[in-house]
Amino acid sequence: MPMNGKVAIVTGAGQGIGRAIATRLARDGFAIGCLDFNLDTAKETASQISAAGGKAMAVKVDVADREQVFKAVDSVVEAYGRLDVMINNAGLGPTTPIEDITPEIYHKVFDVNVGGTYWGIQAAVKHFKKRKPSKKGEVVGKIISASSQAGQVGNPDLAVYGATKFAIRGITQTAAKDLAPLGITANAYCPGIVRTPMMEGIAQKVADENGKSLEWGLEQWAKNVLLGRVSEPEDVAACVAFLSGPDSDYITGQAMIVDGGMVFN
């Protein structure tokens, strides 16, 4: 359903899942605020959207910095006049064997993944509150945050990343309860193994250790997926598009798993 006149902000929109989400929502009719730490890649995403006939702008932001997040969100609202969907997608996913975790790694990953989610929610709610539901159950704003399959089960060597993604599920549930009276829903999406630059780097490392190709490395991960393949960013973007549109208006507090059949609830 075309979302003409509606506005969505996507953090981490410069590559991978974030870029796929931004371009999918633009096709669905949203104007997009493409937020990213790397302004060049954010501009590339915005340019791709514009070239396809959509509307987008790029904004540089470090999501770990609360003031920067508020300023970035404000700039998109100033340009487009409103905000309807806030997608807290930006995140870090380093491999962290339990004995190798340092205070620096812990703080950096939590500041981006968890802090960025808190600040994104706060910055969005500031604008959502300007619209009042006309009746019980009417949705005036949506918050959608990135959890993970690793936020459903503990995975080896991902103690820090997994902890942040478990935290985002908890934040989402609490936000859903706190914000429902304002007509705001809060949900999360939980990707599994997605072919992103980060995942390709992990697969390439495994492949190099075994003298094999990148595709061989990815196949090793695909063995854990019932559908037999790692997912593409567009698979995740399709779920986020559903959560962003009106068909999901009666869904809140949920963490939707998009992993090809790895974790069952």
Side-chain angles (χ1 to χ4, degrees):
M1 181 179 294
M3 296 290 105
N4 294 329
K6 291 197 172 185
V7 178
I9 290 176
V10 184
T11 67
Q15 66 175 8
I17 294 172
R19 176 172 286 180
I21 292 170
T23 55
R24 169 60 191 267
L25 293 186
R27 290 199 304 272
D28 288 349
F30 285 91
I32 309 295
C34 301
L35 276 53
D36 204 283
F37 186 75
N38 186 328
L39 182 58
D40 289 338
T41 57
K43 286 181 176 178
E44 289 174 7
T45 300
S47 295
Q48 290 179 13
I49 291 170
S50 297
K55 183 184 295 185
M57 62 182 288
V59 184
K60 178 178 173 63
V61 64
D62 177 357
V63 296
D65 186 313
R66 183 176 185 267
E67 183 177 354
Q68 285 191 37
V69 174
F70 271 72
K71 286 183 176 179
V73 171
D74 287 349
S75 69
V76 174
V77 175
E78 182 178 356
Y80 293 139
R82 62 184 290 155
L83 177 62
D84 299 276
V85 179
M86 180 72 197
I87 299 169
N88 300 304
N89 172 77
L92 300 175
T95 301
T96 51
I98 199 77
E99 292 181 289
D100 294 343
I101 298 167
T102 64
E104 291 76 19
I105 291 172
Y106 160 74
H107 284 294
K108 183 175 183 179
V109 179
F110 267 82
D111 284 350
V112 170
N113 294 7
V114 178
T117 299
Y118 280 133
W119 313 146
I121 291 172
Q122 290 181 346
V125 169
K126 169 187 169 182
H127 294 284
F128 292 157
K129 288 173 70 175
K130 296 174 184 177
R131 297 197 299 273
K132 306 293 184 183
S134 61
K135 59 183 179 180
K136 284 186 177 181
E138 182 184 11
V139 176
V140 300
K142 297 191 171 195
I143 294 162
I144 306 168
S145 304
S147 181
S148 172
Q149 178 267 346
Q152 298 277 342
V153 297
N155 287 336
D157 294 336
L158 291 176
V160 178
Y161 175 76
T164 66
K165 296 305 181 178
F166 270 91
I168 288 168
R169 287 176 57 209
I171 293 166
T172 296
Q173 292 180 19
T174 301
K177 294 179 179 180
D178 287 347
L179 301 176
L182 300 175
I184 301 168
T185 63
N187 291 292
Y189 54 101
C190 303
I193 302 169
V194 188
R195 187 164 184 161
T196 62
M198 182 176 73
M199 186 63 226
E200 286 187 345
I202 295 170
Q204 188 66 64
K205 181 179 178 181
V206 173
D208 291 345
E209 290 171 352
N210 290 273
K212 303 289 186 177
S213 67
L214 170 61
E215 294 303 322
W216 181 90
L218 289 168
E219 281 298 318
Q220 307 318 298
W221 293 93
K223 291 177 181 178
N224 299 316
V225 181
L226 286 183
L227 294 182
R229 66 172 178 86
V230 299
S231 65
E232 298 294 334
E234 291 74 18
D235 296 317
V236 182
C239 175
V240 177
F242 166 69
L243 292 174
S244 300
D247 287 347
S248 63
D249 280 359
Y250 201 61
I251 297 174
T252 193
Q254 305 305 310
M256 304 192 67
I257 304 172
V258 194
D259 67 1
M262 297 175 69
V263 176
F264 292 174
N265 278 345

